[in-house]
Amino acid sequence: MKFNNNLDDFDALGNEHIGTSENTPMRRDAFKLSNEEKIDIIKDDVRHIMETLGLDLTDDSLKGTPNRVAKMFVKEIFGGLDPDKKPSASTFENKYKYGEMLVEKNITVYSTCEHHLLPIVGKAHIAYISNGTVVGLSKMNRVVDYFAKRPQVQERLTIQIVRELQEVLRTKDVACVIDAKHLCVNSRGIRDIESSTVTSEFGGKFKDMATRREFLDYIKLDTQF
Ligand SMILES: [Zn+2]
């Protein structure tokens, strides 16, 4: 897409849910303010939005909303913008020499669409083939959660998860598939309740069709517990 720095172009880009880069676009001064200072500013901004919409913020039910939303933005749903929150890179040596594929599937994804600030809810499935290094299983859930807690584009989220695990596991052989519903598509605009979006990133050996097929077959397994 060509940009003329025209607001309509950016509007179209957002409506089509197209992201511009693999890294989350951040300002240089992103961490100049403390979390408490950010909450203070955002609180006033949320109050301003609500008042502009005509809401009476002296009502007991609405009074606490600006502060609640500001805290939720900074500490919870966008907490993954803070590099200090990145899960630690503890890995183990692959002592039992398990050289097959390991798949962690149905990892819950709660993220936020960066174009509408509405929820993205779905499942991530991750696989890797150990190169001698392994990670605890919950590590994969934590990596998903960390990158999901940002304003996101699903394609970027998928890539960021794979890049991080490639680095931690010191191998290219990592893959991720995400199947998620975007509330901005399901609840507004085209209002399609049934549709979901599937994105994938296949690194290293997963570019090979047989390996990729094996991973996708494991995802389809419907074990009853
Ligand atoms: Zn959206």
Side-chain angles (χ1 to χ4, degrees), residues 14-15 17 112-120 152 182-185 188:
N15 277 326
H17 291 100
T112 307
C113 157
E114 73 180 17
H115 300 119
H116 298 94
L117 299 186
L118 282 173
I120 299 172
Q152 273 294 11
H182 292 235
L183 262 64
C184 49
V185 175
R188 54 162 294 288

Side-chain angles (χ1 to χ4, degrees), residues 142-157:
R142 282 200 291 269
V143 167
V144 169
D145 200 50
Y146 170 68
F147 288 104
K149 282 183 173 154
R150 296 175 173 195
Q152 273 294 11
V153 177
Q154 190 176 319
E155 293 88 331
R156 186 202 293 133
L157 174 61

